Amino acid sequence: MKDHAAPSANLDKFRDPALTAKGEPRATVALSQPRTLWFNTGTLCNITCENCYILSSPTNDALVYLTAEEVADYLGQIRDRGWPIEEIGFTGGEPFLNPQMIEMARLSLEAGHQVLILTNAMRPMMRPAVQDGLRWLAERFPDRLTLRVSLDHYTGPLHDAERGAGAFDISLAGMDWLRDTGIQMSVAGRTLWHETDTQARDGYAALFAERGYDIDARSPAATVLFPEMDMSVDVPEITTACWGILDKSPRDVMCASSRMVVKRKGAERPAVLACTLLPYDPQFELGETLAEAESDVALNHPHCAKFCVLGGASCSA
């Protein structure tokens, strides 16, 4: 998911958080129903993917490891603010490189939340200490822990084209272990290969059946298929009038229900971002606390239009 340089058309548009290039009021989204709080555990990863929206790699520590103490602080803020959080999500980088990942998950589960951990299911997850920790969590919190495995395609050659030779088989070995251990799984794939949604889900369904994975390939929640984030594609801006034109509610947009906590290299404290897809754009950094993160979000980025509002629709009347 390379963050390609934006063309001049997009650069001209997304300058003013209050007004579009045509001078129309830009749409904003309120945090109307906080349901998910994400923690980015750090951008370090055991592999370098061909297309990674957050540029994770074995050397990128732009976002450093969060600690269990920092996660505990935000869990307390959730309680103090009365946020109706249902799910705590952990993403990276590769979360299981963070030495406190199991402890952070334990704290979140003990606080009563569902926990979702995004992983490539490769060697960091398969270390004995991590396996022991995952077994312990799964035994004590059945049905509340899910690992979402990044499986870019249901065939080895296309998955490996993104993640490196042999990555597919290594991830499947990790998924086999999760299956045998009884830990809930979901999958995140990509739509790089010009397949229809049906074709892609048919392929994943066949793989899941062959290997005995209890994952619903037809469910968009259990098998999430992500489009590529190409900044070179020109997209329209979202005005306040778009909600009526599209018959869509601001409550449907991701930043109405989620926030993400990150810790930047050199920073004393973590920060809260409006969007999981925009970890490096300073205009989407809301502050250090959940109270500050309750502010409205201006849809002032191409991703806001392409991925979160339009989904192939158009704002034109």
Side-chain angles (χ1 to χ4, degrees):
M1 299 181 185
K2 289 179 179 175
D3 202 15
H4 300 290
S8 59
N10 277 342
L11 288 175
D12 289 340
K13 290 176 178 178
F14 299 98
R15 293 183 183 275
D16 186 338
L19 297 174
T20 68
K22 295 181 179 179
E24 299 172 293
R26 188 179 302 284
T28 61
V29 173
L31 184 68
S32 57
Q33 45 187 355
R35 293 290 183 263
T36 303
L37 184 63
W38 288 94
F39 291 97
N40 187 295
T41 62
T43 40
L44 287 174
C45 188
N46 56 300
I47 57 175
T48 302
C49 294
E50 181 66 22
N51 297 285
C52 178
Y53 83 100
I54 203 168
L55 304 176
S56 298
S57 77
T59 59
N60 180 14
D61 60 351
L63 303 181
V64 298
Y65 288 154
L66 284 175
T67 67
E69 183 179 5
E70 289 164 340
V71 169
D73 177 69
Y74 282 99
L75 294 173
Q77 291 184 49
I78 289 173
R79 182 184 62 250
D80 294 343
R81 302 300 298 172
W83 282 20
I85 292 293
E86 298 170 352
E87 178 183 67
I88 299 295
F90 293 95
T91 183
E94 169 51 48
F96 289 113
L97 282 177
N98 187 312
Q100 298 189 34
M101 182 62 255
I102 297 298
E103 178 66 5
M104 292 187 290
R106 180 188 69 81
L107 291 169
S108 303
L109 289 161
E110 288 183 346
H113 305 295
Q114 298 283 331
V115 166
L116 175 66
I117 305 175
L118 278 53
T119 179
N120 55 35
M122 297 177 78
R123 291 188 177 95
M125 189 196 78
M126 295 293 279
R127 290 175 295 168
V130 174
Q131 290 180 316
D132 289 345
L134 285 172
R135 287 193 195 94
W136 188 89
L137 292 174
E139 288 171 359
R140 284 155 181 78
F141 305 98
D143 302 324
R144 288 208 283 124
L145 173 68
T146 301
L147 271 61
R148 179 189 289 170
V149 179
S150 297
L151 204 65
D152 290 337
H153 198 257
Y154 50 85
T155 66
L158 290 181
H159 177 87
D160 287 358
E162 293 297 310
R163 295 182 176 254
F168 186 73
D169 289 339
I170 296 171
S171 288
L172 289 186
M175 294 179 72
D176 288 349
W177 180 82
L178 291 169
R179 174 201 63 203
D180 296 342
T181 308
I183 296 174
Q184 294 182 125
M185 286 187 286
S186 60
V187 155
R190 297 189 186 181
T191 57
L192 275 170
W193 297 279
H194 308 293
E195 298 174 314
T196 66
D197 185 81
T198 298
Q199 288 171 328
R201 294 187 184 281
D202 285 347
Y204 280 106
L207 175 68
F208 299 161
E210 175 188 347
R211 302 192 75 93
Y213 299 155
D214 185 17
I215 306 172
D216 185 354
R218 311 298 173 189
S219 166
T223 303
V224 189
L225 301 180
F226 290 104
E228 292 307 290
M229 300 179 193
D230 189 348
M231 284 280 287
S232 66
V233 176
D234 187 22
V235 296
E237 297 179 279
I238 305 300
T239 69
T240 55
C242 286
W243 304 123
I245 294 169
L246 297 173
D247 192 24
K248 191 178 181 86
S249 169
R251 294 172 63 89
D252 298 331
V253 181
M254 185 166 58
C255 52
S257 60
S258 69
R259 293 289 187 262
M260 182 169 76
V261 176
V262 305
K263 189 172 185 181
R264 303 196 187 282
K265 187 175 183 179
E268 291 186 12
R269 289 177 291 276
V272 188
L273 309 185
C275 180
T276 62
L277 305 180
L278 299 168
Y280 301 126
D281 191 326
Q283 69 177 317
F284 292 94
E285 186 167 316
L286 303 177
E288 295 177 350
T289 67
L290 296 189
E292 294 171 292
E294 291 173 353
S295 59
D296 293 358
V297 178
L299 301 184
N300 194 36
H301 192 280
H303 291 350
C304 303
K306 183 176 181 182
F307 296 102
C308 292
V309 178
L310 296 178
S314 172
C315 266
S316 62

